[in-house]
């Protein structure tokens, strides 16, 4: 992964480079709001400004119909309704833009390991924790090493990997290496390939990696609860022979989830997701991993996606799309050539997973292409 | 698009050409109902004939179990139950067949434009309207130029397009050109690439088209409501070089939707959808566009589909199927060779999107191949 | 299909071959439960051992959160909760393993036919029955010839097929030959291509098969109820020229269903589904058929799937995956090279279709590779 630091100033330059660009706050682009706007806007009735967290915590899945409810209200009230809706939309985008911090470890800093006789040794601790899908609003979660998703494990094809799992939860667990070819007794299915790892126990997996690709690790015990609440992570095996690997300036893993901790992208809900930052004409790689129980057709604005791998296997012939349907358990690797500058919305196109009357939320982020 | 007029007589000839064919009404095909039908049918208990609109407005999503409820009833009542079910099924099909009118503008008459200094200028007006998913039953909708979906915009790769948007609704809006490569400030995401278009305002988009294909335009503000209620339309960019375009006798766009105005195909629910009419051995092109929030696996009876484009991009190698799963935000172009005459059912294969105990409804139509 | 008999002893040898292997019952693998398990497990509070049927009949779709409910309980109760959960998980796996009987007709014994003047004649009788998705727990179903799914019909491309349908149900029906190219009047859509087959009637379909592949037959009348309750079956047309057919040691059809009789694989819910038994280095063929109304992304552990056909049509270039998303109405044929011995879990990766706090259920089975 090769990411250049991005100052706040540079980010805004990138996002706003194309003209109207970002209109954070109440500013308006004169040409974008022409004079023929004929309807006199009533001055907004004073209403309490909703705080960001209030907005974000609202029931995003309920399909509000402000226009309908407003229809029965007096005119001034009607104005208030849509203006409040707009303000909530704007507030979310502001939080998103203000929260950009490319120096944090959001984008899959791989888990550190020790090495012993050529074996790479990782440690994972399972805990029941409170996880902030958004700041200040903890939800009951289950985590590897205290984060959701768990830390990315990244090794090279042929590596022998040992993973020591500590179960500090109040229920048993196990880990399945989803997509990774392993001996049967390392496959992680309680009562079929191993006993469950009971509360307080430690269990060790060990296998030599054979198939490169974007894989996952996750619980395979009481999995509807444990996976949906966060016992998930990326397990990436880089090929031993990298001559066929695409050259990219950034490599981003997007772990998608839905029930349990809610609609999230790498454990966070918009506006608390982090954007992907790239330079003009960069090619970036995105690895989708669906750990949820619903499909997530991922739509990137403005920049086409070239699908190169499915479930870690190369597709026979790469193909282009702008919306890629990722089903539970699937992974896809795509390349994106950043040929046009600006801030490109990037979200699940099941609209109830991405926007409510209170603004965008859930599985939404952006690819920001700096000039 | 090249469609020949179809008289009622010719349609029936086409549909009934293969033998048993269409059995509209109560007629029976003797060979199809053999003598070994041994169970004496009790004369139907007189029941009120449900009117078409009553049938169609019933709660299609509720899974009725007439057999079960009938089980507790006396025999004559039981007969009534299934006979009434059959009558409702038949009624829907009759309405569908009677409603065929190939001269109406259902199939995507492109929006007219003016031209100024080489720029094609389109106008779209957003309004909250009542929309008849079926005749006489208006639902609350949001429309471009008064129709759902909005008018098809069809241009040629390289065209510069200006779209003037008038917002006559009681809430702000914006338009995203889904799949179309545009400069960032024309991308239609409020507070990221433009301010929202407020009630009463007019806003102008302008861009030069670069990538041909079957694209879409739709709201990107409060989109769960606005898109599901109808602020959607096809945006088709024909390639500048048409030498690789397939030769077809008809080109049909199917915009799919689900929540909001309900399960619809081009804004209508069966039996008020319109069939595709083709001649024997014609090749037709179908462009699927999913503007809903659910998948719609589209199944065509009797005629295979050759997938040639996904999201406007050519697939590396076309492939055949009979059921094509279209996810929200996706578009697919397929070719259908009409090699066998008759009326071929064509529907979403999520059965709750296509049929209830009251008969077929929702995302259902037919391809009628005339000999 | 070519399956060798498998004794109980041989099965366990196969499943346990790789080391820790199967740990049926309470046995533990010493190396798998290391000494560093530091938390003293409280002795389990005596609780009533749930009977297998109780476990299996629990509401699997409700997402239980035993950890949460346990949090409010005293410590001993908490231990009881997870131990009971584990016991239920184990119980299901035991039932699955004990139930293996490769001599039964689970895997699609084709329907017998008579032959008359070169026509293959099949008979199907539609009945409302009680069907045991699991032993002792009948659900209201609709069946062809008394089983769900109905018997597999397997013919060869070019065969002329006559199917005589007897409707012994309390409602009308019809049969659509999903994916099979037929004359329009044999397509099975009431009031469009035929009258419905009324209660007590017999109806005859006849057509010459033209397109080989993994197809289906199912009701096309009141289909949401009739299909979801079981009027479904595989219709497999083997190619006349078998020179391009893959050589396989086993050929398994997996009919998936969800609403109606519930989440099932060939009409059964785990642990009452049957595993696929193969020998090391065998190549097997799996034909997925989704007759439900939800997607089922099928994940096979440890062994990659090579997709070779979609809807009976060869894919232009076979591709590998470990999770294959099968949408309603779709069929896929895949090849699996059994390169690693052991019992490999094989399930829908929508976790709510495969596991609850009470253990695995629904669309779950295993591929058991014997050394």
């Amino acid at each position: 992964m090769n990411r250049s630091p991005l100052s706040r100033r540079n980010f805004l330059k990138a996002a706003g480079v194309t003209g109207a660009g970002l209109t954070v706050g109440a500013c308006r682009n004169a040409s974008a709001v022409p004079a023929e706007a004929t309807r006199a806007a009533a001055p907004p009735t004073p209403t309490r400004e909703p705080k960001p967290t209030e907005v974000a915590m609202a029931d995003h899945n309920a399909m509000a119909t402000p226009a309908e409810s407003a229809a029965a209200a007096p005119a001034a009230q009607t104005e208030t309704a849509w203006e409040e809706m707009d303000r909530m939309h704007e507030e979310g985008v502001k939080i998103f833009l203000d929260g950009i911090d490319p120096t944090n470890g959001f984008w899959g800093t791989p888990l550190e390991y020790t090495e012993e006789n050529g074996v790479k040794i990782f440690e994972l601790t399972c805990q029941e924790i409170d996880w902030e899908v958004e700041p200040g609003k903890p939800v009951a979660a289950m985590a590897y090493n205290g984060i959701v998703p768990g830390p990315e494990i990244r090794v090279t094809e042929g590596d022998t990997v040992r993973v020591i799992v500590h179960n500090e939860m109040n229920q048993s667990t196990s880990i399945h290496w989803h997509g990774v070819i392993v001996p049967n007794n390392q496959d992680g299915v309680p009562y079929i390939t191993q006993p469950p790892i009971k509360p307080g126990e430690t269990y060790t997996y060990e296998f030599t990696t054979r198939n490169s690709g974007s894989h996952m690790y996750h619980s395979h015990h009481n999995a509807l609860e444990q996976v949906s609440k966060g016992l998930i992570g990326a397990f990436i095996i880089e090929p031993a022979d990298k001559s066929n690997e695409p050259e990219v300036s950034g490599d981003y893993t997007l772990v998608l989830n839905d029930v349990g901790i809610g609609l999230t992208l790498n454990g966070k809900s918009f506006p608390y997701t982090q954007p992907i930052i790239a330079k003009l004409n960069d090619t970036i790689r995105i690895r989708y991993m669906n750990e949820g129980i619903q499909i997530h057709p991922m739509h990137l604005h403005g920049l086409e996606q070239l699908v190169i791998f499915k479930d870690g296997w190369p597709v026979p012939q790469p193909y282009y799309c702008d919306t890629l349907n990722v089903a539970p358990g699937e992974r896809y690797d795509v390349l994106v050539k950043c040929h046009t500058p600006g801030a490109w919305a990037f979200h699940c196109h099941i609209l109830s997973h991405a926007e409510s009357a209170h603004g965008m939320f859930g599985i939404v982020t952006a690819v920001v292409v700096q000039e």
Side-chain angles (χ1 to χ4, degrees), chain A:
Chain A
M1 192 159 17
N2 180 355
R3 284 178 288 112
S4 56
L6 180 78
S7 71
R8 181 96 192 102
R9 181 197 305 267
N10 282 343
F11 167 73
L12 290 175
K13 177 156 172 282
V17 73
T18 55
L22 291 172
T23 57
V24 180
C27 67
R28 305 253 184 85
N29 180 294
S31 72
V33 187
E36 55 269 54
T38 51
R39 177 171 171 169
T45 313
T47 54
R48 186 177 64 85
E49 180 83 17
K51 291 177 203 149
T53 48
E54 286 183 306
V55 173
M57 281 309 284
D59 180 3
H60 293 293
N61 285 310
M63 186 173 147
T65 56
E68 283 175 3
S69 59
Q77 290 290 326
T78 302
E79 297 298 90
T80 300
W82 68 257
E83 285 182 336
E84 186 172 326
M85 178 157 53
D86 287 3
R87 204 160 40 236
M88 290 188 285
H89 276 70
E90 183 177 8
E91 196 64 47
V93 172
K94 275 184 75 172
I95 293 168
F96 178 73
L97 298 176
D98 290 348
I100 292 172
D101 178 6
T103 65
N104 76 23
F106 183 79
W107 289 112
T109 307
L111 180 59
E112 294 195 1
Y113 56 87
T114 57
E115 205 151 355
E116 201 175 283
N117 301 324
V119 177
K120 292 183 174 174
I121 303 169
F122 298 86
E123 299 219 20
L124 292 175
T125 299
C126 311
Q127 290 170 313
E128 286 154 273
I129 65 164
D130 287 330
W131 176 251
E132 291 188 333
V133 171
E134 50 187 272
K137 299 287 174 180
V139 296
M142 293 171 165
Y144 293 120
N145 297 3
I147 56 173
V148 178
E152 176 187 301
I153 295 178
R154 188 178 282 249
V155 298
T156 298
E157 187 186 353
D159 281 351
T160 296
V161 174
R162 185 179 303 151
V163 186
I164 301 166
V165 183
H166 308 281
N167 181 6
E168 300 185 355
M169 305 193 299
N170 277 314
Q171 57 180 274
S172 298
T173 192
S174 76
I175 299 185
H176 170 55
W177 315 97
H178 183 112
V180 183
I181 295 177
V182 296
N184 192 246
N185 63 355
Q186 301 304 309
D187 192 44
V189 184
Y191 303 112
I192 294 186
T193 70
Q194 67 168 81
I197 310 172
K198 300 190 176 187
E201 288 185 349
T202 289
Y203 190 92
T204 301
Y205 294 93
E206 186 170 321
F207 48 85
T208 301
T209 58
R210 297 167 53 185
N211 61 321
S212 63
S214 298
H215 304 302
M216 308 192 288
Y217 66 97
H218 60 72
S219 164
H220 209 284
H221 187 68
N222 191 26
L224 176 57
E225 181 184 12
Q226 294 189 6
V227 169
S228 73
K229 283 190 167 175
L231 289 181
I232 56 179
F235 194 105
I236 295 173
I237 305 177
E238 294 183 349
D241 174 4
K242 293 189 169 56
S243 61
N244 288 321
E245 283 280 283
E247 272 191 41
V248 295
S249 60
D251 181 343
Y252 303 95
T253 299
L254 272 59
V255 178
L256 311 172
N257 210 343
D258 35 58
V259 296
I261 60 164
L263 293 154
T264 47
L265 192 164
N266 288 343
K268 298 290 179 184
S269 172
F270 185 91
Y272 302 99
T273 51
Q274 192 181 6
I276 293 172
I277 313 292
K279 290 204 183 316
L280 186 61
N281 292 322
D282 274 1
T283 295
I284 60 172
R285 178 179 190 154
I286 295 169
R287 304 174 190 253
Y288 297 107
M289 303 187 172
N290 190 339
E291 287 279 21
I293 66 168
Q294 300 172 357
I295 59 161
H296 297 297
M298 295 298 296
H299 176 54
L300 174 57
H301 289 215
L303 307 169
E304 59 272 22
Q305 309 183 47
L306 181 65
V307 181
I308 54 171
F309 292 93
K310 167 169 171 41
D311 299 348
W313 300 97
V315 299
Q317 291 187 281
Y319 60 92
Y320 284 102
C321 66
D322 57 61
T323 306
L324 184 61
N325 186 25
V326 188
E330 285 191 318
R331 292 91 60 212
Y332 285 96
D333 290 32
V334 303
L335 297 179
V336 175
K337 169 85 175 182
C338 299
H339 53 58
T340 308
W344 299 105
F346 186 18
H347 59 89
C348 177
H349 213 277
I350 294 181
L351 297 178
S352 54
H353 295 183
E355 195 174 31
S356 77
H358 296 163
M360 293 188 289
F361 78 101
I363 302 179
V364 178
T365 184
V367 173
V368 179
V369 181
Q370 297 178 284
E371 211 159 9

